[in-house]
Amino acid sequence: LDRTLSAEPTFSYHVLNIDCPNCALGTQNAVRTLDCVEDARLVYATAALEVVMKEDADPKECRRQIA
């Protein structure tokens, strides 16, 4: 996830109930499949999910899909 080259909006979330690294990976991969998402990374140790939206995505709709 490289925000230095990205002009797209980036959002951060704290994810609850991530009990294992495989759960974090599964959640990360699921978020990456959303049409509005350019990239996503979930750090298991901190339960922090960082999402980069696609340039043409609607921020409200993308947040709704992620939540």
Side-chain angles (χ1 to χ4, degrees), residues 3 6 10 12-17 19 24 31 33-37 39 41-42 46 48 51 53 61-62:
R3 289 188 307 178
S6 175
T10 302
S12 296
Y13 300 89
H14 180 78
V15 181
L16 301 176
N17 302 320
D19 298 326
V31 171
T33 67
L34 299 174
D35 290 336
C36 64
V37 174
D39 199 6
R41 184 172 72 132
L42 198 158
T46 61
V51 178
M53 286 182 14
E61 177 60 21
C62 194

Side-chain angles (χ1 to χ4, degrees), residues 7-66:
E8 292 86 5
T10 302
F11 300 103
S12 296
Y13 300 89
H14 180 78
V15 181
L16 301 176
N17 302 320
I18 295 293
D19 298 326
C20 68
N22 286 335
C23 298
L25 183 60
T27 301
Q28 171 183 283
N29 290 339
V31 171
R32 284 181 173 170
T33 67
L34 299 174
D35 290 336
C36 64
V37 174
E38 180 70 31
D39 199 6
R41 184 172 72 132
L42 198 158
V43 178
Y44 169 68
T46 61
L49 173 65
E50 193 167 288
V51 178
V52 177
M53 286 182 14
K54 289 184 179 175
E55 188 174 325
D56 59 345
D58 175 23
K60 280 186 176 182
E61 177 60 21
C62 194
R63 285 188 199 120
R64 187 192 67 73
Q65 289 180 28
I66 293 168

